[in-house]
Amino acid sequence: MKKNNTSMTKITIFLIFLIVLVVGYYSYLSGKNRTEQQEAVMSEVDTVLSRDLNNNYPATPKEVIKYYNDLIKCFYNEDCTVEEIQELGRKSLQLFDEELRENNEEDTYLIRLQGEIKNYKDSKRKITSVSLANSTNVDYYTADGYSFARISCGYGITENGKKSSTMLVYLLRKDENRKWRIYGWETADQVNEHLEQSENNEK
């Protein structure tokens, strides 16, 4: 009987150890899955914020707008914290031309940006697609001693389930460090109106 009791005790201890091991491993896997899911949700924002624009600034007008679009998608499509919106906003200011930054003082810009994002989400709008023109379709020219580049970008948007699209034309100017900065933007319709007015004035 003593031997049987000893054997039973060993078996019981082994089973308890096995159960603890299985439960522990299951908890580990559950925690790992939760962590991976959290990282997946934040990966887009983290990736965009991780870029060091001082040492890794976009080299071409297309790359500048491509990164700016990444910022825009984080603003309007991701559930960002206030701190993340501010960090993303400061990144966008780094892409702006000096004159554009002068018209967008940082604190005022960040407050306005948060309001725009709130209105966007309250209206249940979302950017569903971005179509940036090829590098070969960038229009380069010089004016007033500066180098400029013009590039078009189309956006697909949904609002309360309804689809729409808009086309923006970005104007970039090369700064004294030969970096392309966003000088401004207009809708394609506004650009066409300006062109028509210029043609009429020339006539």
Side-chain angles (χ1 to χ4, degrees):
M1 288 294 294
K2 195 170 184 180
K3 281 187 177 182
N4 287 340
N5 287 338
T6 303
S7 299
M8 287 297 292
T9 300
K10 288 181 179 179
I11 291 171
T12 302
I13 293 172
F14 175 74
L15 288 174
I16 292 172
F17 174 76
L18 190 62
I19 291 170
V20 170
L21 190 65
V22 170
V23 171
Y25 185 64
Y26 176 77
S27 298
Y28 165 75
L29 289 179
S30 298
K32 186 178 179 183
N33 287 336
R34 281 196 299 271
T35 301
E36 288 175 349
Q37 288 171 0
Q38 290 170 353
E39 288 176 352
V41 171
M42 299 306 297
S43 63
E44 187 67 27
V45 174
D46 291 339
T47 299
V48 173
L49 288 177
S50 67
R51 182 162 189 163
D52 181 359
L53 291 176
N54 291 322
N55 298 310
N56 186 25
Y57 191 85
T60 66
K62 181 178 179 180
E63 288 300 314
V64 171
I65 302 305
K66 185 171 182 282
Y67 181 67
Y68 186 62
N69 282 332
D70 290 340
L71 291 168
I72 289 175
K73 286 186 286 186
C74 286
F75 287 145
Y76 300 118
N77 288 2
E78 302 293 334
D79 293 323
C80 300
T81 64
V82 172
E83 291 75 15
E84 286 169 339
I85 290 173
Q86 291 177 343
E87 288 185 65
L88 292 164
R90 292 188 185 98
K91 290 284 188 185
S92 65
L93 285 172
Q94 286 184 264
L95 300 178
F96 288 1
D97 179 87
E98 183 179 355
E99 288 188 27
L100 188 57
R101 284 200 304 272
E102 287 176 359
N103 295 323
N104 288 276
E105 188 274 327
E106 183 176 304
D107 289 342
T108 304
Y109 171 75
L110 294 177
I111 291 171
R112 187 173 69 249
L113 178 62
Q114 290 179 51
E116 289 175 356
I117 292 171
K118 184 179 184 303
N119 289 337
Y120 202 91
K121 294 194 172 182
D122 286 347
S123 300
K124 295 182 180 178
R125 286 197 293 265
K126 190 171 184 178
I127 297 171
T128 54
S129 65
V130 176
S131 179
L132 185 59
N134 293 327
S135 298
T136 53
N137 293 328
V138 179
D139 178 25
Y140 294 95
Y141 65 96
T142 57
D144 300 324
Y146 290 100
S147 296
F148 288 91
R150 189 184 287 117
I151 185 170
S152 301
C153 187
Y155 299 90
I157 299 168
T158 59
E159 182 175 353
N160 288 318
K162 295 181 180 179
K163 296 180 180 180
S164 64
S165 62
T166 187
M167 179 75 73
L168 293 183
V169 179
Y170 289 94
L171 183 63
L172 299 93
R173 182 169 73 168
K174 189 178 285 188
D175 67 10
E176 58 185 10
N177 296 314
R178 303 186 62 78
K179 292 180 178 178
W180 290 103
R181 308 282 183 178
I182 299 173
Y183 191 70
W185 58 84
E186 291 182 313
T187 65
D189 290 340
Q190 290 173 320
V191 173
N192 290 332
E193 286 176 10
H194 293 160
L195 289 174
E196 289 176 4
Q197 289 175 359
S198 297
E199 289 174 358
N200 291 334
N201 290 335
E202 289 176 1
K203 292 177 181 178

